[in-house]
Amino acid sequence: MHILNAPTPGTGKTLAARVATLPFNPDGPSVMTAGQDEDEWRKRITSLLSGGTSHLLIDNIKGALVSGSLAAALSTSLWTDRILGKSQTITLPNRAVWIATGNNIAVDTEMARRSVWIRLDSNAERPWTRNGFKHASLGEWALENRGDLVTAALVVIRQWFTAGCPPGRPTIGGFESWARVIGGILDAAGIGGFMGNAEELYEQSDPTAAQWAAFVAEWWKQFQDAPIGVKELFPLADSEPADGITGLGLLDTMLTGHTARARKVRLGNLLHSHLDTVVDGFKIQSAGTLRRASLYQLTRLGM
């Protein structure tokens, strides 16, 4: 998914998405809006893919771009769904170029690893009032110069072949071939920065990552790899673990509950859900039980 993101409306996200497709599809991309639920997402994806669309634009996203159906579609070359109004299923080739636009779009980690992050910032309060562009009507110019633009793209690709098809350096799980080819083409052309902002996107997609990193760092500082229970970890996570005691509150925003007991139960659930998860170089693992209470320990990786 190529996400064109901007801080304000009128920056040119939709124009950029359309112009990028015009040399290869003079009709421009097929446009859809975000689904309100998974069923709607699924139906819209099936409808557009069944029409053989080559470029699919999810335009003007409001808020978060989170969808299990969309994430699944981005990871498969064949899309299978039930035909509307029938008990039959249909399998469609998924060869579309996927594009999304919106203002300050938020994504989850599943969408982040399936996305290319393109940030547009005009540094203007009302970007739609700007003028003085090299091409007054960029869309018309792109259509009039389709031949030259396609030729330019082919020359860049041919340069990669001439160089022996060296693979791109970044590796993206699930999209290894794409990263190897696109990264290689750009490297051969001397265009740097491919997927250079991926880490920034991952950090934005998981706002709790920094909190977990701080929590795990303090956990290691106090207990290292010793088996430890929720009772001992609770003062690190909660700001009010008991009457008259002030905790560090490193996971405060995640510990929902009006009582310390409820928050302690929540911490236990969070730790269980993070078993075998690596956080900032430390792996959270089960260490058995003590008097029927679960124990956890950290393993420092790379040591």
Side-chain angles (χ1 to χ4, degrees):
M1 175 70 77
H2 302 75
I3 299 179
L4 284 87
N5 201 14
T8 56
T11 303
K13 304 176 297 295
T14 302
L15 175 62
R18 182 170 181 272
V19 167
T21 68
L22 290 179
F24 315 100
N25 181 354
D27 294 326
S30 299
V31 180
M32 64 177 279
T33 55
Q36 297 299 312
D37 52 43
E38 288 301 325
D39 191 50
E40 192 174 343
W41 269 112
R42 181 179 52 79
K43 290 177 181 177
R44 293 184 181 185
I45 292 170
T46 301
S47 176
L48 287 172
L49 290 182
S50 64
T53 183
S54 62
H55 297 77
L56 198 158
L57 171 61
I58 307 171
D59 199 22
N60 200 26
I61 295 166
K62 306 291 186 183
L65 178 59
V66 179
S67 166
S69 297
L70 178 59
L74 293 171
S75 302
T76 181
S77 58
L78 294 173
W79 173 257
T80 301
D81 189 24
R82 183 173 59 85
I83 300 175
L84 188 63
K86 298 182 180 181
S87 58
Q88 298 173 299
T89 60
I90 184 173
T91 299
L92 302 164
N94 177 14
R95 303 190 184 99
V97 175
W98 294 76
I99 312 169
T101 69
N103 300 313
N104 290 328
I105 303 172
V107 296
D108 61 6
T109 52
E110 284 299 309
M111 197 62 64
R113 74 177 187 86
R114 292 170 165 85
S115 301
V116 179
W117 196 246
I118 305 165
R119 182 71 170 175
L120 304 180
D121 190 348
S122 64
N123 290 315
E125 185 176 357
R126 298 182 178 87
W128 59 89
T129 64
R130 293 171 296 164
N131 53 36
F133 295 105
K134 182 175 181 179
H135 303 292
S137 179
L138 190 57
E140 291 180 9
W141 178 87
L143 287 173
E144 292 170 357
N145 293 272
R146 282 186 67 206
D148 290 340
L149 292 170
V150 172
T151 299
L154 292 175
V155 167
V156 171
I157 295 169
R158 182 61 185 171
Q159 162 65 16
W160 179 60
F161 275 97
T162 302
C165 299
R169 284 165 289 182
T171 299
I172 305 168
F175 300 90
E176 294 88 353
S177 177
W178 175 84
R180 186 168 58 248
V181 172
I182 300 300
I185 290 172
L186 294 174
D187 283 344
I191 303 171
F194 174 62
M195 296 300 293
N197 61 354
E199 192 61 34
E200 177 187 350
L201 177 58
Y202 298 148
E203 290 176 359
Q204 291 181 13
S205 68
D206 185 5
T208 67
Q211 299 174 54
W212 272 102
F215 172 72
V216 165
E218 188 63 30
W219 178 352
W220 180 262
K221 178 181 177 181
Q222 294 196 23
F223 306 107
Q224 294 202 335
D225 59 357
I228 209 74
V230 172
K231 178 181 178 181
E232 291 77 20
L233 292 172
F234 190 53
L236 280 60
D238 193 76
S239 57
E240 298 179 6
D243 292 339
I245 298 176
T246 300
L248 296 180
L250 297 175
L251 298 182
D252 251 357
T253 59
M254 289 177 260
L255 299 183
T256 54
H258 297 295
T259 65
R261 178 179 175 79
R263 295 194 299 276
K264 192 177 294 184
V265 170
R266 174 61 176 161
L267 176 60
N269 292 335
L270 286 171
L271 289 169
H272 184 76
S273 69
H274 279 71
L275 281 176
D276 297 324
T277 298
V278 177
V279 179
D280 207 27
F282 295 94
K283 189 172 186 177
I284 301 173
Q285 295 181 292
S286 172
T289 60
L290 178 64
R291 292 191 288 274
R292 301 178 64 181
S294 296
L295 297 178
Y296 304 89
Q297 68 181 149
L298 292 178
T299 299
R300 191 169 190 172
L301 303 181
M303 294 294 291

